[in-house]
Amino acid sequence: MDRRNLESGDTLIEVLLSIIILGAVIVGSITIMNRGLSAGQNAVEHSQVRLTINGQVEMLRKVRDDYAVDPTSDNGQTWQAVVSGIPASATISYDETCDKNQPGTDFYMTQTSTRIESQLYNDTQPTTVPSPGQGIWIEAQKSNGNLQPYVDFVVRACWQGPGTGQQRSVTSVRLYDPSR
């Protein structure tokens, strides 16, 4: 009988080569899955932050509108406190930075069951998704000598996403000021 006919199994090199190919496919699949999960997590974080930023802007609009209707209301007084707390020299940078332009004047809005209040930003950033007062703050700048006075607000969010570098989101809004 011919000896070659008796050797019908795979050689050691063939087996090693198939294990290497299988390992590369598994590593590639896991890498692609991790990138997909990371992109999904990043999208969820940005969506949550965007909702929180929009909430800050809506609270600013609410206190401004309440001031226009009744300056003596609780929210009207909050608007007056916000506007009067903006230094005349305050300037805003509209770039996507996490640096504070006017330390001690940055603030954020909070809402209780009866009123909206502004609070000074305490300059701490969280390690995960930010919240107002920790990673989300508002900067403001008044107009100078315009016929229709306004206040520019920039709402900034900065946080350290898991497995990513520093994340940031910046939104600006101009509100016309009925108090001036």
Side-chain angles (χ1 to χ4, degrees), residues 39-55:
Q41 176 69 24
N42 196 18
V44 167
E45 287 177 2
H46 279 273
S47 295
Q48 289 174 336
V49 169
R50 175 61 42 210
L51 288 171
T52 305
I53 287 174
N54 289 345

Side-chain angles (χ1 to χ4, degrees), residues 12-173:
L12 183 58
I13 293 180
E14 290 172 331
V15 170
L16 287 175
L17 186 60
S18 65
I19 289 173
I20 289 171
I21 291 171
L22 178 64
V25 168
I26 289 172
V27 167
S29 299
I30 290 172
T31 301
I32 290 171
M33 285 185 343
N34 281 341
R35 285 184 184 166
L37 289 172
S38 177
Q41 176 69 24
N42 196 18
V44 167
E45 287 177 2
H46 279 273
S47 295
Q48 289 174 336
V49 169
R50 175 61 42 210
L51 288 171
T52 305
I53 287 174
N54 289 345
Q56 292 290 295
V57 170
E58 289 305 315
M59 283 189 266
L60 284 168
R61 285 188 177 123
K62 171 76 171 138
V63 296
R64 188 268 322 257
D65 293 347
D66 286 354
Y67 178 87
V69 171
D70 180 9
T72 61
S73 68
D74 289 341
N75 289 341
Q77 291 174 359
T78 299
W79 173 259
Q80 188 60 40
V82 165
V83 172
S84 65
I86 303 170
S89 62
T91 59
I92 296 177
S93 169
Y94 293 95
D95 59 359
E96 289 192 11
T97 181
C98 290
D99 298 332
K100 315 291 179 304
N101 290 335
Q102 301 286 330
T105 62
D106 302 332
F107 64 98
Y108 62 99
M109 306 300 287
T110 59
Q111 184 171 6
T112 64
S113 60
T114 58
R115 67 181 298 177
I116 298 172
E117 298 174 347
S118 67
Q119 297 182 7
L120 284 178
Y121 181 68
N122 61 12
D123 201 26
T124 61
Q125 293 182 13
T127 57
T128 58
V129 176
S131 62
Q134 291 192 324
I136 294 180
W137 70 95
I138 303 169
E139 298 171 0
Q141 173 182 339
K142 294 181 197 177
S143 63
N144 292 325
N146 290 345
L147 294 176
Q148 180 67 38
Y150 61 84
V151 180
D152 284 337
F153 295 98
V154 173
V155 184
R156 296 186 188 280
C158 295
W159 72 100
Q160 190 72 28
T164 60
Q166 187 177 47
Q167 300 289 314
R168 58 194 159 274
S169 184
V170 178
T171 297
S172 62
V173 62

